[in-house]
Amino acid sequence: MDAFTDNFEKLPFDLEAEQSVLGALLVDSSCMPTVLEYLNADSFYKEQHRELFSLMLSMFSAGETMDFITVLGRVRSEHIFESDEQAKLYLTQLVQIVPTTKNVDEYAKLVRERYYIRRLITVSGNIRREADEGLDAKDLLDHAEQQIYEIRQGKDSTGLVHIADVIIGTYDDLQRVAKESHNGLLGLSSGFSDLDRTTNGLNKSDLIILAARPGVGKTSLALNIASHVGERSGKAVAIFSLEMSKEQLVLRMLSSAAKIPNTQLRIGQLEDSQWTDLAEASGTLSSSSIYIDDTSSINIADMRAKLRRVENLGLVIVDYLQLMTSAKRFENRTTEVSAITRDLKILAKDLGVPVMVLSQLSRSSEKNPKPMLSDLRESGSIEQDADIVLMLYREGENGEQAQGQQNEAGASYVVNCDVAKNRHGETRTLQFHWDGQYTKFSTLGYLRDE
């Protein structure tokens, strides 16, 4: 082995574990799915090991026979080693060194452990170098957290990824989706069947814009969705409220869950049966993984730092876009909002969860029978960055859009939900029933197909 183990840099690695993983794959190619749960090519320290694993992964993905002879032939054609004799010798030693293929997951864990430590050492060096270059402390902290987060998530931004690795990951995702039933939906259920059928649920990495004029009910709809996801999906929901306090949000959620009029709940004048209903609703909401942050001046960097600490995150809700600010300076507000929406899309992608952002519509939208994408206030690139855009509006007696106004206590009426943009399917208009006394929406069906 000495010919192949010289000149290693002083970084932690486990040569025997790497050799045992590769040897197990040569002995039994069916070990590959187990190995892929822990490792990719970059997880190996030795260059020949990275190349050998990539080659074997390519063969496995293509459905080719993978054993000592076939791999040796490919290794020779790829010139991974200096000579054909060295290739044959090293592969023979790999087969001989593996104690048993039954423990391949333990060998893979050892390789991954050393890989994580090497990545941490590299990231620490990057952070030190950026600090020496005078990077702003807040930006430095955010960048450091991002790099540590990527290590924890098994992500590596060092280079291009071969399509074979992506195919394997896609198969894993499809198998996981098949096992995790969401009523036939790819994403999480919103609790509104017609909306779910149109968007295929709340999908990972999606930026969802929920827009309306003030008083139409966008916050209430978002809270209805948050309650459903938090109670039914087993996932955590994070709500960032820049306008309302956490107590106000919880009162609305309790009103919907306990079916106690919101005005009555706020003054605490409840009958005995209502106290019982309230206690039951409180217990249900308390057992769900819903987290609320009512910091009024929060930016994307702060959100990212807080969200990384939430385990089993499933959905993020931000109420609302026009109250957000950026840590950077921009020449005008439209440019700033555009930068914020781009960062929100990046946040959804990095976290792998849907991010629902509430947004105001411009006053000019009230002149139209229904709002348009161009009516998004300070729109900029909002409609471009969003995967789904939902627009709530009410119709007046003549079919015109009703003026934005605060929902009256106890009011009950129909609210249209226009799916104005949908990367997962068609656009159409849905109808919801709004029950003002309980701040609760329910689905009515499709208004019309478009």
Side-chain angles (χ1 to χ4, degrees):
M1 294 285 179
D2 292 342
F4 305 106
T5 58
D6 294 338
N7 301 322
F8 277 113
E9 297 178 14
K10 298 300 182 181
L11 286 173
F13 65 96
D14 192 325
L15 181 62
E16 290 75 17
E18 291 190 9
Q19 292 170 333
S20 295
V21 169
L22 295 172
L25 292 173
L26 284 171
V27 173
D28 184 1
S29 62
S30 67
C31 293
M32 181 63 83
T34 300
V35 172
L36 288 174
E37 292 181 11
Y38 305 98
L39 307 176
N40 58 39
D42 291 324
S43 304
F44 293 87
Y45 182 73
K46 186 178 176 183
E47 181 179 357
Q48 286 99 333
H49 289 173
R50 293 195 295 270
E51 294 177 353
L52 182 55
F53 183 80
S54 295
L55 183 150
M56 296 167 77
L57 177 59
S58 176
M59 295 178 67
F60 180 81
S61 302
E64 300 177 14
T65 299
M66 193 174 74
D67 56 24
F68 181 90
I69 299 300
T70 58
V71 172
L72 177 60
R74 289 286 296 274
V75 166
R76 285 173 169 172
S77 65
E78 296 287 342
H79 304 292
I80 293 177
F81 296 92
E82 293 182 1
S83 68
D84 291 351
E85 188 60 30
Q86 280 188 338
K88 182 177 181 180
L89 173 62
Y90 197 69
L91 263 62
T92 300
Q93 292 173 326
L94 289 178
V95 171
Q96 293 174 343
I97 198 174
V98 59
T100 173
T101 60
K102 293 181 179 179
N103 295 332
V104 67
D105 57 334
E106 296 300 324
Y107 311 147
K109 289 178 183 177
L110 291 172
V111 174
R112 183 181 64 176
E113 177 75 13
R114 298 301 187 273
Y115 167 68
Y116 280 168
I117 294 174
R118 292 197 304 273
R119 289 278 289 133
L120 284 169
I121 292 173
T122 302
V123 167
S124 298
N126 293 340
I127 295 171
R128 174 63 183 272
R129 185 164 50 253
E130 291 171 350
D132 291 341
E133 293 173 355
L135 190 66
D136 179 80
K138 192 169 185 178
D139 291 339
L140 181 63
L141 180 60
D142 184 55
H143 194 199
E145 287 185 341
Q146 176 65 22
Q147 293 181 82
I148 298 298
Y149 175 78
E150 289 176 353
I151 296 174
R152 183 179 294 276
Q153 296 299 311
K155 297 180 180 179
D156 195 337
S157 57
T158 57
L160 298 171
V161 178
H162 192 276
I163 191 172
D165 295 333
V166 181
I167 290 174
I168 292 295
T170 301
Y171 268 107
D172 291 342
D173 288 341
L174 290 174
Q175 291 174 346
R176 175 187 53 76
V177 170
K179 292 178 182 178
E180 298 177 4
S181 174
H182 293 308
N183 298 320
L185 301 175
L186 182 61
L188 298 173
S189 171
S190 66
F192 298 93
S193 57
D194 295 329
L195 180 60
D196 288 339
R197 280 191 289 269
T198 303
T199 63
N200 210 1
L202 307 173
N203 297 278
K204 290 184 176 181
S205 303
D206 272 2
L207 176 61
I208 304 168
I209 300 296
L210 175 57
R213 289 291 297 151
V216 177
K218 55 184 180 292
T219 298
S220 296
L221 180 59
L223 291 179
N224 289 171
I225 292 173
S227 296
H228 182 84
V229 173
E231 294 172 15
R232 305 290 182 86
S233 71
K235 298 284 187 177
V237 179
I239 303 173
F240 293 94
S241 176
L242 286 76
E243 182 179 35
M244 300 175 64
S245 69
K246 54 182 176 291
E247 290 81 10
Q248 290 175 308
L249 295 182
V250 170
L251 276 177
R252 287 195 177 197
M253 298 172 79
L254 286 173
S255 174
S256 299
K259 292 187 177 180
I260 299 174
N262 188 47
T263 53
Q264 191 175 350
L265 188 61
R266 281 185 295 177
I267 60 177
Q269 295 183 355
L270 308 180
E271 299 176 358
D272 291 343
S273 60
Q274 290 177 318
W275 282 111
T276 302
D277 294 337
L278 180 61
E280 183 177 343
S282 298
T284 301
L285 283 174
S286 296
S287 63
S288 62
S289 297
I290 299 177
Y291 301 89
I292 303 174
D293 186 306
D294 60 0
T295 305
S296 58
S297 57
I298 194 169
N299 56 44
I300 304 296
D302 295 332
M303 286 184 181
R304 187 189 298 273
K306 294 178 180 181
L307 290 170
R308 286 181 189 139
R309 299 179 177 90
V310 179
E311 296 183 2
N312 197 28
L313 183 64
L315 173 65
V316 177
I317 294 176
V318 182
D319 185 12
Y320 58 91
L321 176 62
Q322 282 73 25
L323 291 179
M324 294 188 67
T325 58
S326 174
K328 303 176 183 178
R329 293 182 179 180
F330 294 90
E331 56 186 15
N332 56 61
R333 179 58 180 167
T334 299
T335 304
E336 182 178 20
V337 171
S338 297
I340 291 171
T341 58
R342 283 194 295 271
D343 288 342
L344 285 168
K345 175 57 184 176
I346 293 171
L347 179 67
K349 184 178 179 181
D350 288 347
L351 296 177
V353 300
V355 174
M356 177 176 287
V357 182
L358 280 57
S359 174
Q360 285 188 354
L361 292 173
S362 63
R363 185 173 295 277
S364 62
S365 66
E366 296 175 347
K367 300 177 183 178
N368 304 315
K370 72 173 185 178
M372 299 179 292
L373 288 172
S374 58
D375 291 322
L376 289 167
R377 186 173 170 187
E378 298 168 330
S379 60
S381 63
I382 297 177
E383 60 185 89
Q384 175 183 331
D385 294 323
D387 298 282
I388 295 173
V389 177
L390 308 175
M391 294 184 170
L392 301 180
Y393 66 99
R394 294 169 53 190
E395 290 185 358
E397 294 181 359
N398 299 320
E400 298 296 322
Q401 188 180 164
Q403 298 294 311
Q405 56 195 25
Q406 294 299 318
N407 289 324
E408 306 88 351
S412 178
Y413 42 75
V414 173
V415 174
N416 294 332
C417 177
D418 180 34
V419 185
K421 181 179 180 181
N422 182 15
R423 283 192 174 145
H424 305 294
E426 60 187 327
T427 57
R428 64 192 341 168
T429 302
L430 316 176
Q431 285 193 317
F432 294 139
H433 176 263
W434 163 257
D435 193 335
Q437 64 176 336
Y438 303 136
T439 60
K440 187 175 181 64
F441 281 94
S442 57
T443 187
L444 288 177
Y446 301 126
L447 175 64
R448 52 186 174 270
D449 292 339
E450 300 179 350

